[in-house]
Amino acid sequence: MAHSSKIFCCFSFLFSTLSIIPLSHQLEQHPLDSLTPNEFIRVQAIVNQSHPTTTNDITFQYIGLNEPDKQALISWLQNHRTTPITAPPPRQAFVIARINHQTHELVVDLLYDNIVSDHIHHGFGYPLLTFEEQNGASQLVFNHAPFLAALNKRGLKVAEVICETFAIGWFGETKQNGRVVKVMCYYLDGTVNLYMRPIEAITVTVDLEAMKITHFRDRLVVPVPKAAGTDYRESEQKEPFGPELKGITVVQPDGPSFIIDGSRVRWANWDFHLSFDARVGPIVSLASIYDTEKQEFRRVMYRGFVSELFVPYMDLTEEWYYRTFFDAGEYGYGLCAVPLEPLRDCPANAVYMGAYVAAQNGMPIEMPNVFCIFERNAGDVMWRHTETMIPPDLITEVGLTGLLEVRGSKYTHKDQIDEEVYGTLLAENTLGAYHDHFITYHLDLDVDGESNSFVKSKLQTVKVTDQTSPRKSYWKVVSETAKTESDAKIKLGSDSAELLVVNPNKRTKMGNFVGYRLIPGSVASPLMTDDDYPQIRAAFTEYNVWVTPYNKSEKWAGGIYIDQSRGDDTLATWTSRNRRIENKDIVLWYTLGFHHVPYQEDFPLMPTISTGFELRPANFFEYNPVLKVKGPSNVRWPNCSVSSSGLK
């Protein structure tokens, strides 16, 4: 019996101090490869030479690949197959730097070692925060007398306090606040799970440019939650325990079926490029599938990545209302990666890949093992059918985890609560705030080419009003091709629908347009009002599906500058132009999400919540392509098996 297998790319996100460790030598460079350590060093030198540090204060907020022109890259890929000496598109870096307290956008040419453009941003919003300035801001409080007095008043030991920074958001101010953050602190003293022991009601505001405290307030004393029961380490758990689980081993005696060549990954009939970005993390590019009948690779997706993550908390207290996180644009989704651990994060048959990001001074920092790639049995068969209609023959054919943000509280039992507390009492003096998770994906699908259309096929109920059948109703498919961006905006959950990206210029032998369909995961819509300031900034979550014409500059759904942004440069504002999208090079934007009501099982460590989505062929092939997939030769398949599957 042939089982379907899947290839997985795992990626881990946590806040951590990153170390500089040499990475193994890369093979021939691809135009979409992440920047190398040498390239980071060259970028830093070029920028510093153009703005001498003797007269300029320079910090590098972001350095990443300046994606080549799409058509130039596709042309190069086509020519490179026949003429390998063809020069690739220009290799460039995109840099966001603070130079003398101004935000500069720079494009650096890595062939000629010069600056192609240097633009000063004068609009709203600021670039993502660096680890260095966040760490610097959080350390200021330990030399601030009012803060030390506040700890003393609570009977807390300074040595057991750890602090972190929070972006302040925007709440209708007409004047810009400057680059400031707020600092919140936690208490250890008996646990490593500091997030379960917040020190509440202290507000510290830090100016990042001057690196000094500009505001301090100690509003009231709230009990710090107890350490008991918060430590999640296995060594700290006490009896009684549940039954011990047996080990599971994945054995691939002939090695994995995938091949990694530099940043190129090949598995079965798939071929794609894998890279890394400090802001959005992993990027999958040039995903193509080999069609055995056509004897050619057919492109499915040009580029796909997580564009933004929006996590707003519903707590309106003074120290919490601004906690409306934009993980990619404020903090750097990729910057928050930590090394994956063998046999804990990834199975024994995994292969690991590392990446580099830039430090605040522009120098490269290695992030080892941020990817792991592995195969696993998906647990279901690719296809099967047992035929019993030809007696006497029997023919069998085969072929989101982490830690909650909790607020300290005076309450020790639910019955004491007689006010709105914006969350669930999880333990004594511990409230888990209600919040949302929205993940927006940028999916530049090129289904058999760049010219695509978006089709929404509604499943429409039809009543039988004549006597043609004993049935009273049936449903049919009513398809509509979106002509403009407004036509393509969809809120999922209200209607049954099939969502497809098709190539209207390519048909199967049966006359159907070739396509790929989106099979959504968990569906959630924002519950905040449209005029609420966090929702204005995150207007890209108002719809689950958007479609835009391809534009190289439109890749981050919340805009380039998220910190204190005002919603004037988001996916929602781009689509207000209502551009034509029929038979064009288009990008599909998909937002999945869920509303999180905390429960006691989420304390002190939240169990994993899984969700996702699928992109699945829809008339892309002439017939089921897995018929031609060959199973392992060293496995003896049974003649028959028991299965609940039937004729479909």
Side-chain angles (χ1 to χ4, degrees):
M1 180 168 59
H3 288 266
S4 61
S5 297
K6 295 182 180 178
I7 187 169
F8 289 83
C9 296
C10 282
F11 188 64
S12 178
F13 302 90
L14 290 172
F15 290 92
S16 174
T17 302
L18 304 173
S19 58
I20 303 178
I21 305 174
L23 187 68
S24 59
H25 176 68
Q26 291 288 321
L27 302 180
E28 180 184 356
Q29 192 173 48
H30 187 283
L32 292 180
D33 280 355
S34 310
L35 296 181
T36 66
N38 181 58
E39 288 174 329
F40 278 112
I41 294 170
R42 288 163 58 196
V43 167
Q44 183 223 38
I46 293 166
V47 174
N48 285 343
Q49 288 168 9
S50 65
H51 298 274
T53 54
T54 54
T55 56
N56 294 282
D57 180 24
I58 302 177
T59 61
F60 293 85
Q61 310 297 131
Y62 170 85
I63 303 178
L65 177 70
N66 188 44
E67 181 185 330
D69 176 78
K70 182 176 180 179
Q71 289 304 318
L73 178 61
I74 291 173
S75 177
W76 176 81
L77 289 170
Q78 293 170 341
N79 295 331
H80 189 65
R81 294 190 185 101
T82 56
T83 313
I85 61 173
T86 305
R91 183 87 170 158
Q92 297 180 336
F94 178 63
V95 180
I96 299 177
R98 292 287 290 177
I99 304 176
N100 289 343
H101 309 301
Q102 290 184 310
T103 299
H104 286 244
E105 297 175 15
L106 305 102
V107 175
V108 178
D109 190 294
L110 291 167
L111 177 61
Y112 297 103
D113 285 352
N114 63 7
I115 293 179
V116 176
S117 64
D118 185 345
H119 169 70
I120 298 177
H121 170 66
H122 293 292
F124 299 119
Y126 298 101
L128 60 81
L129 305 169
T130 68
F131 275 141
E132 291 90 337
E133 61 192 3
Q134 291 182 73
N135 290 336
S138 63
Q139 292 303 307
L140 289 176
V141 298
F142 295 104
N143 293 313
H144 191 62
F147 177 76
L148 298 178
L151 295 183
N152 185 60
K153 180 171 63 175
R154 290 165 171 78
L156 304 178
K157 295 175 282 189
V158 177
E160 298 291 336
V161 175
I162 294 179
C163 301
E164 67 173 345
T165 59
F166 292 83
I168 67 169
W170 170 70
F171 294 91
E173 304 92 343
T174 56
K175 183 181 178 181
Q176 296 197 83
N177 288 308
R179 295 190 68 236
V180 299
V181 293
K182 294 188 177 182
V183 178
M184 180 176 179
C185 300
Y186 306 88
Y187 201 54
L188 293 170
D189 198 21
T191 182
V192 296
N193 195 351
L194 61 125
Y195 295 103
M196 296 302 108
R197 305 200 72 194
I199 304 172
E200 291 292 346
I202 297 176
T203 300
V204 182
T205 305
V206 174
D207 183 326
L208 292 177
E209 301 288 310
M211 198 51 73
K212 68 177 183 180
I213 294 174
T214 58
H215 178 264
F216 175 86
R217 186 184 182 200
D218 183 2
R219 187 166 61 90
L220 77 161
V221 175
V222 177
V224 174
K226 298 176 181 178
T230 65
D231 204 314
Y232 46 76
R233 290 176 294 180
E234 184 176 354
S235 61
E236 297 300 312
Q237 305 312 305
K238 309 298 182 185
E239 293 184 346
F241 295 105
E244 183 176 349
L245 299 178
K246 304 297 183 182
I248 299 175
T249 302
V250 176
V251 178
Q252 290 186 289
D254 300 322
S257 299
F258 59 84
I259 298 172
I260 300 177
D261 181 5
S263 298
R264 181 184 178 189
V265 181
R266 284 173 283 177
W267 174 76
N269 50 357
W270 281 100
D271 190 323
F272 61 91
H273 180 276
L274 186 61
S275 61
F276 184 86
D277 179 77
R279 177 161 176 160
V280 303
I283 301 175
V284 176
S285 302
L286 304 173
S288 301
I289 188 167
Y290 188 75
D291 189 321
T292 56
E293 295 301 313
K294 295 181 179 291
Q295 294 287 292
E296 65 180 14
F297 275 97
R298 300 171 65 189
R299 201 174 343 134
V300 175
M301 184 172 69
Y302 178 71
R303 210 151 163 82
F305 51 87
V306 172
S307 182
E308 190 54 80
L309 297 90
F310 177 50
V311 186
Y313 280 77
M314 299 298 119
D315 195 318
L316 304 188
T317 54
E318 183 175 326
E319 297 80 24
W320 276 76
Y321 72 90
Y322 54 84
R323 300 188 194 197
T324 54
F325 303 108
F326 293 79
D327 285 345
E330 289 176 336
Y331 302 97
Y333 194 35
L335 287 175
C336 299
V338 296
L340 294 161
E341 295 185 22
L343 303 182
R344 183 175 295 273
D345 297 309
C346 310
N349 61 329
V351 175
Y352 296 84
M353 295 174 65
Y356 284 89
V357 297
Q360 183 172 286
N361 64 1
M363 292 297 289
I365 299 177
E366 195 200 358
M367 309 178 73
N369 295 356
V370 290
F371 295 113
C372 76
I373 301 171
F374 60 94
E375 289 176 291
R376 79 175 185 195
N377 191 308
D380 51 353
V381 295
M382 279 190 192
W383 65 272
R384 78 181 320 281
H385 172 62
T386 300
E387 183 60 73
T388 60
M389 299 300 290
I390 315 176
D393 296 327
L394 178 66
I395 302 174
T396 302
E397 299 171 343
V398 293
L400 251 245
T401 184
L403 300 170
L404 290 172
E405 284 276 346
V406 301
R407 174 161 65 92
S409 169
K410 64 183 179 181
Y411 299 114
T412 59
H413 193 279
K414 182 180 178 182
D415 291 351
Q416 300 169 348
I417 301 174
D418 59 1
E419 61 177 332
E420 177 60 75
V421 294
Y422 314 108
T424 305
L425 189 67
L426 303 175
E428 290 186 8
N429 308 118
T430 307
L431 288 166
Y434 305 140
H435 59 282
D436 301 317
H437 297 262
F438 296 104
I439 306 175
T440 299
Y441 292 86
H442 173 285
L443 303 170
D444 181 5
L445 299 182
D446 285 355
V447 179
D448 236 3
E450 296 94 76
S451 296
N452 288 176
S453 295
F454 179 67
V455 177
K456 178 181 179 181
S457 297
K458 293 183 178 180
L459 308 184
Q460 187 177 93
T461 300
V462 179
K463 290 185 176 181
V464 178
T465 57
D466 55 24
Q467 304 301 315
T468 57
S469 171
R471 294 278 297 274
K472 299 295 184 182
S473 65
Y474 67 101
W475 60 260
K476 66 178 181 179
V477 179
V478 179
S479 298
E480 178 184 354
T481 299
K483 299 184 181 300
T484 66
E485 291 174 279
S486 294
D487 297 338
K489 295 188 294 187
I490 295 174
K491 291 185 178 181
L492 297 172
S494 55
D495 298 319
S496 297
E498 295 279 301
L499 307 175
L500 297 90
V501 173
V502 304
N503 188 325
N505 311 293
K506 303 281 184 70
R507 292 176 182 261
T508 64
K509 293 176 182 178
M510 297 298 101
N512 296 307
F513 292 134
V514 302
Y516 257 75
R517 58 180 172 137
L518 171 70
I519 302 177
S522 57
V523 175
S525 296
L527 298 177
M528 293 185 293
T529 59
D530 291 343
D531 62 348
D532 198 355
Y533 298 106
Q535 188 57 39
I536 292 172
R537 300 173 65 210
F540 54 87
T541 64
E542 290 179 5
Y543 293 88
N544 300 101
V545 177
W546 312 69
V547 179
T548 63
Y550 172 80
N551 185 322
K552 177 183 171 181
S553 67
E554 297 176 0
K555 57 183 180 180
W556 296 327
I560 297 178
Y561 302 104
I562 295 287
D563 182 24
Q564 300 179 55
S565 63
R566 302 190 178 185
D568 56 353
D569 180 30
T570 70
L571 173 58
T573 57
W574 306 336
T575 60
S576 64
R577 288 172 281 179
N578 203 24
R579 295 163 291 186
R580 305 287 298 184
I581 58 172
E582 186 178 15
N583 203 9
K584 303 281 188 182
D585 187 359
I586 58 177
V587 176
L588 176 70
W589 304 78
Y590 170 59
T591 297
L592 62 80
F594 57 91
H595 306 294
H596 191 172
V597 177
Y599 294 96
Q600 286 184 237
E601 289 80 4
D602 295 331
F603 176 87
L605 184 72
M606 193 177 75
T608 299
I609 297 177
S610 299
T611 187
F613 66 95
E614 286 188 60
L615 293 171
R616 182 169 291 192
N619 300 323
F620 190 81
F621 299 99
E622 294 292 342
Y623 54 82
N624 188 343
V626 302
L627 293 173
K628 299 297 182 73
V629 176
K630 297 177 66 175
S633 58
N634 60 345
V635 175
R636 182 177 179 271
W637 306 112
N639 291 326
C640 63
S641 63
V642 178
S643 173
S644 61
S645 61
L647 184 64
K648 295 181 181 179

